[in-house]
Amino acid sequence: MAFWIKVCYIRSMKVLLQLCFCFISLFCFSQQAKDVDFKSAKVHVEIQPTIKKVKGQVAYTLDILKAVDSLYIDAVNMNIKNIELIQIHQQGDPEFLNFECKNNTKQLIIYYAFKQDERYELRMEYVAHPRKAMYFVDWVDGVDTVPIENNIKEIDLRKQVWTQGQGKYTSNWLPSIDDMNDKIEFDLSITFKKGFDVITNGRLTHKETQDSTITWHYDMEQSMSSYLVALVIGKYDKKIKHSKSGIPLEMYYYPEDSLKYEPTYRYTKGIFDFFEEEIGVPYPWQNYKQIPVKDFLYAGMENTGTTIFSDSFVIDSIAFVDKNYVNVNAHELAHQWFGDLVTETSGTHHWLQEGFATYYALLAEAFFFGDDYYYWNLYQYVQELLVQEKSGQSSSLLDPKSSSTTFYKKGALVLHLLREKIGNSAFRETVKNYLLEYSFKNVRTEDFINEAENLSGKDLSGFVDRWLKDKTFYIDDAMESLEKSTFIQEYLMVDCEIASSKCITYLNSGISDESKEKVITQNANLIKKEHFKNSVKVRQAIARYLVEIPKELKIEYESLLNDKSYLTVEFALYNLWTNFPESRGAYLRQTKGMVGFRDKNIRTLWLTLALLTSNFEPENSQQYYKELRDYTNSRYDFNIRMNAFKYLSMIKACDQPCKNNLKQASTHHVWQFSKFARQLLKEFN
């Protein structure tokens, strides 16, 4: 049977009136997920990164649960053509149907008398130039390196394409369903130029090689919400480990970062195995992939089986002390159960995703770092929530407009308190039953609470009213729970705002590093020579808070420049340079080759101090200035650029090329960075 090419048209005033009513009411299609079940999607996309273009074909299979006269696909600013609607009969050939449609700037709407309990297929071709959800990083056609600052040096272009659906944005590059209540089994094929790795959800089944491109074919076995469809294109190496249950764990890294693979992915397999044991439900997907990308919008994103995370977490062993990927790693992995396997019905129940992921990440970290670590972080959550309460910004956990602090931190605390209330055994059984009952479905808070009541035999209505519905944060109740920890008791006991011999001895005692840091925070003047013999974390606190350095502590303080902590070195270098002008050259020579984190925290500070230090290598001052200004260029990570802009502004040395780069930064896709750039531009003007 020949394929019909169906052109969209509207033939009657009746249809026009239907359209008007739908868009005026804004509720016309709100119930689609209850009436129409999109089952699967066969997707092929071809991406042209230099012109930010996506060209694709999609074939959706869908079941009609209740007779309707229309359905829609979310498609933002897309040119859609060659649309076909086919009824799939149980017996006989598929039937190509006549229909009417409307392609506006947000949706493709199909008008047809759809019959209950019948299956249909919807096919289309489309072209998109996504303004969000898909990001094209460092694409200059035919160029792999860019000369910086009058050909002084060249830097490699990262050249990536990556996506971030975040709830409802996938429809900017793929005609899909923004409503997370409709779960679809996606199989994706992506055509891209040779020399790049293409990574998406599911299992790579095969690759087809053409003259200049490769088509990568991926298969997903289970359904998921459209916002969890993900895509990364770049140049990577990877290592694969297997969980105890046999799940392949694919860990990607840039080829030049092979020595950073281990510290970046430290504890990954252990976290995975811990979750399967603690949660009691096997990992629900075929495999698990983690891919770092440049200039990501967030720390990480839990796309189904495919976590994308910021490459600022690609670290060496020294950086691991101060800034590691462990928490983000565990948080995004926990989402594979809480958010991906079971998904909120709406923002009202957002804590079921973020609160659970935060809580289970903390459990995983406690497994490796101990119970004190667990209680310390819960205590930090409580302090954040207390600040929110005192500022009048506290809100209900069931308020869809609540802050991240509420959804993440209060959500995790509520789970801790619930576990105490119903007992460990009942809590674990509740979570297990909840996940099994609602696998690949959408959930509300009452679904989870009902499971908890059934398993524990307790009436939780009062708990729900107090901790989920009430916007008040009950600090006394929270602290009563935390003070069951002797570690927290010890920390709260410390009070050294007034100097005392007892407080001095604390710093040489066996109390926790956190308690010692509290002493230093409250009264840095208590620090003596012998206190520099403490752990790296305590020495870091000394570097951070002892900013006016007594001469008798100069030698001990200088030893901080040798610590295996990039933060300690950064604090110590600045404070020593400020306190002892006569030794500035010596400090700069000692730290000359240090770079620090991926954001070059030590190097950018070093360049700034070198420029401000009279008679320090005057023959190199122009080179140092150009290097610092180079770091404002768009080819560098936004964190590096932010540091460079900050220091150039501080020393009033942001010249016209710097300001040009700042203007470009003001339109960057990372909103925190663009906001920073706009504010700095205002200060210059």
Side-chain angles (χ1 to χ4, degrees):
M1 178 179 292
F3 282 66
W4 293 1
I5 305 300
K6 186 73 181 83
V7 179
C8 294
Y9 62 96
I10 297 181
R11 296 185 299 181
S12 68
M13 183 59 68
K14 178 181 179 181
V15 173
L16 283 171
L17 291 173
Q18 287 175 336
L19 278 173
C20 293
F21 175 77
C22 288
F23 289 111
I24 291 173
S25 69
L26 298 178
F27 298 110
C28 184
F29 300 109
S30 63
Q31 301 300 309
Q32 173 166 281
K34 296 182 179 180
D35 301 334
V36 182
D37 182 12
F38 283 80
K39 305 295 292 186
S40 65
K42 301 292 183 183
V43 179
H44 175 257
V45 295
E46 179 180 350
I47 299 173
Q48 300 174 34
T50 56
I51 57 175
K52 300 181 179 181
K53 178 180 178 180
V54 179
K55 181 180 179 182
Q57 303 90 42
V58 187
Y60 280 105
T61 300
L62 54 105
D63 290 342
I64 302 300
L65 308 180
K66 179 181 178 181
V68 293
D69 59 7
S70 62
L71 59 81
Y72 71 88
I73 297 285
D74 293 301
V76 179
N77 295 319
M78 291 185 185
N79 178 16
I80 301 178
K81 61 181 182 179
N82 295 343
I83 306 167
E84 298 173 335
L85 180 63
I86 305 162
Q87 186 169 355
I88 308 299
H89 297 288
Q90 293 183 355
Q91 296 178 344
D93 294 330
E95 180 183 357
F96 289 80
L97 306 172
N98 287 314
F99 61 97
E100 296 174 339
C101 67
K102 172 71 174 181
N103 182 197
N104 58 49
T105 59
K106 293 184 178 181
Q107 293 176 327
L108 170 68
I109 307 169
I110 304 296
Y111 296 95
Y112 182 77
F114 292 95
K115 300 176 182 178
Q116 183 173 334
D117 298 328
E118 294 291 342
R119 173 161 290 190
Y120 297 83
E121 184 173 326
L122 179 63
R123 301 175 184 174
M124 68 195 76
E125 298 177 5
Y126 72 97
V127 173
H129 293 272
R131 298 177 184 176
K132 61 173 65 174
M134 179 176 282
Y135 298 89
F136 304 86
V137 177
D138 283 3
W139 282 96
V140 179
D141 197 16
V143 178
D144 291 320
T145 61
V146 172
I148 300 298
E149 201 59 59
N150 299 322
N151 294 315
I152 289 176
K153 61 180 179 179
E154 290 189 339
I155 58 172
D156 291 332
L157 298 183
R158 182 59 65 192
K159 284 195 172 181
Q160 295 177 344
V161 179
W162 48 262
T163 61
Q164 171 57 1
Q166 192 63 24
K168 60 179 181 180
Y169 296 126
T170 297
S171 57
N172 283 265
W173 67 272
L174 172 66
S176 52
I177 306 296
D178 288 342
D179 185 352
M180 60 182 65
N181 288 277
D182 204 333
K183 296 197 171 190
I184 303 167
E185 187 252 305
F186 286 91
D187 292 334
L188 277 76
S189 299
I190 302 98
T191 298
F192 199 77
K193 61 177 62 180
K194 291 180 178 178
F196 290 84
D197 296 287
V198 176
I199 309 152
T200 186
N201 314 85
R203 178 176 60 88
L204 177 65
T205 59
H206 63 288
K207 296 187 287 186
E208 294 179 275
T209 301
Q210 294 85 35
D211 290 340
S212 60
T213 62
I214 297 176
T215 300
W216 304 63
H217 296 273
Y218 282 86
D219 170 70
M220 271 296 293
E221 295 176 353
Q222 302 286 2
S223 60
M224 61 180 176
S225 301
S226 297
Y227 79 94
L228 296 169
V229 177
L231 172 66
V232 176
I233 297 172
K235 296 184 178 181
Y236 294 96
D237 286 340
K238 73 174 178 180
K239 293 187 179 182
I240 302 176
K241 292 185 177 181
H242 288 80
S243 68
K244 285 183 180 179
S245 58
I247 297 295
L249 311 177
E250 302 179 21
M251 291 161 278
Y252 289 80
Y253 58 93
Y254 303 142
E256 67 271 22
D257 285 337
S258 60
L259 297 179
K260 296 180 179 179
Y261 159 78
E262 190 282 327
T264 298
Y265 289 109
R266 193 173 293 173
Y267 301 120
T268 294
K269 181 181 181 301
I271 294 169
F272 194 100
D273 292 337
F274 170 79
F275 278 158
E276 287 205 308
E277 174 67 25
E278 171 64 26
I279 295 172
V281 175
Y283 176 77
W285 316 106
Q286 298 145 280
N287 51 19
Y288 186 56
K289 291 165 277 195
Q290 297 178 84
I291 314 103
V293 299
K294 178 183 174 183
D295 286 353
F296 197 51
L297 282 74
Y298 306 97
M301 177 63 194
E302 69 279 6
N303 310 290
T304 307
T306 310
T307 285
I308 300 174
F309 67 97
S310 167
D311 64 12
S312 64
F313 290 102
V314 176
I315 54 164
D316 59 24
S317 290
I318 295 176
F320 187 90
V321 174
D322 301 317
K323 179 183 179 179
N324 58 61
Y325 177 54
V326 176
N327 180 265
V328 176
N329 188 344
H331 182 99
E332 306 307 339
L333 178 55
H335 270 309
Q336 299 299 319
W337 287 267
F338 307 103
D340 295 6
L341 177 61
V342 294
T343 309
E344 65 192 50
T345 57
S346 68
T348 299
H349 311 286
H350 193 48
W351 82 283
L352 292 175
Q353 298 186 182
E354 298 303 347
F356 273 75
T358 303
Y359 175 70
Y360 275 89
L362 192 51
L363 287 181
E365 289 184 290
F367 180 78
F368 294 103
F369 305 140
D371 287 344
D372 289 353
Y373 183 95
Y374 172 84
Y375 278 100
W376 174 246
N377 279 274
L378 278 181
Y379 177 77
Q380 299 302 311
Y381 297 171
V382 167
Q383 298 312 300
E384 287 186 52
L385 291 163
L386 181 58
V387 169
Q388 190 172 257
E389 174 76 17
K390 289 181 176 180
S391 65
Q393 298 177 341
S394 186
S395 57
S396 164
L397 202 52
L398 300 182
D399 181 351
K401 297 181 180 180
S402 286
S403 67
S404 294
T405 298
T406 298
F407 288 132
Y408 289 65
K409 309 297 177 60
K410 188 176 182 180
L413 178 65
V414 165
L415 290 172
H416 165 81
L417 295 172
L418 179 63
R419 192 169 195 154
E420 281 191 342
K421 185 173 182 64
I422 68 175
N424 183 62
S425 178
F427 181 86
R428 293 185 68 179
E429 198 65 22
T430 292
V431 171
K432 180 179 179 180
N433 283 11
Y434 162 74
L435 290 172
L436 292 175
E437 175 68 23
Y438 297 101
S439 291
F440 310 106
K441 299 176 183 177
N442 294 81
V443 288
R444 302 166 300 169
T445 296
E446 47 264 44
D447 297 325
F448 174 69
I449 296 299
N450 288 340
E451 290 291 337
E453 289 185 326
N454 292 337
L455 266 297
S456 67
K458 294 184 178 181
D459 179 4
L460 296 176
S461 57
F463 183 90
V464 169
D465 289 342
R466 189 174 185 82
W467 287 106
L468 277 69
K469 294 182 179 180
D470 197 335
K471 69 177 184 179
T472 303
F473 176 59
Y474 294 95
I475 177 65
D476 291 341
D477 290 356
M479 288 306 303
E480 181 182 350
S481 172
L482 298 192
E483 286 175 28
K484 295 175 183 177
S485 161
T486 56
F487 166 80
I488 295 298
Q489 293 174 20
E490 175 189 88
Y491 181 83
L492 295 175
M493 175 189 68
V494 172
D495 184 2
C496 295
E497 292 184 2
I498 299 176
S500 68
S501 58
K502 182 175 70 173
C503 287
I504 294 175
T505 60
Y506 277 156
L507 294 177
N508 286 331
S509 70
I511 64 173
S512 68
D513 286 352
E514 289 79 8
S515 293
K516 291 179 180 179
E517 182 176 353
K518 184 178 179 181
V519 173
I520 296 167
T521 303
Q522 290 180 334
N523 200 333
N525 294 325
L526 296 172
I527 297 170
K528 307 297 181 184
K529 290 183 179 181
E530 60 268 24
H531 300 148
F532 284 83
K533 297 178 181 179
N534 270 286
S535 69
V536 171
K537 282 294 184 182
V538 177
R539 285 166 62 85
Q540 184 180 110
I542 293 174
R544 184 192 294 260
Y545 297 109
L546 185 59
V547 295
E548 294 183 9
I549 308 169
K551 289 185 178 180
E552 61 269 21
L553 297 181
K554 180 183 178 186
I555 293 176
E556 286 74 21
Y557 203 102
E558 288 172 342
S559 71
L560 297 173
L561 292 176
N562 299 316
D563 277 21
K564 299 296 184 182
S565 162
Y566 293 139
L567 281 179
T568 301
V569 173
E570 180 184 1
F571 297 140
L573 174 59
Y574 179 78
N575 290 334
L576 286 165
W577 185 92
T578 301
N579 281 264
F580 304 110
E582 70 280 4
S583 301
R584 288 175 175 175
Y587 300 142
L588 290 171
R589 283 188 289 273
Q590 182 178 347
T591 56
K592 187 173 183 177
M594 295 185 181
V595 176
F597 298 117
R598 202 172 192 90
D599 66 358
K600 301 183 185 292
N601 65 311
I602 296 176
R603 183 61 180 173
T604 50
L605 172 62
W606 188 95
L607 290 168
T608 304
L609 298 181
L611 292 171
L612 293 175
T613 303
S614 59
N615 299 320
F616 178 74
E617 300 184 7
E619 70 280 7
N620 294 325
S621 60
Q622 188 65 18
Q623 176 185 336
Y624 293 153
Y625 174 73
K626 288 181 177 179
E627 181 182 347
L628 184 60
R629 186 174 63 183
D630 286 350
Y631 292 142
T632 68
N633 189 277
S634 62
R635 300 310 170 193
Y636 288 99
D637 295 359
F638 80 89
N639 290 302
I640 298 174
R641 301 177 69 193
M642 190 176 293
N643 281 341
F645 282 129
K646 178 181 66 177
Y647 285 127
L648 287 167
S649 173
M650 183 181 72
I651 64 176
K652 301 186 185 306
C654 188
D655 60 5
Q656 194 56 51
C658 168
K659 291 178 181 178
N660 291 341
N661 289 337
L662 188 61
K663 185 176 181 180
Q664 185 277 335
S666 68
T667 62
H668 197 275
H669 63 264
V670 176
W671 70 265
Q672 299 95 326
F673 181 46
S674 59
K675 180 180 179 181
F676 162 86
R678 290 193 298 270
Q679 182 60 41
L680 203 54
L681 281 172
K682 288 181 181 179
E683 294 176 10
F684 288 150
N685 296 332

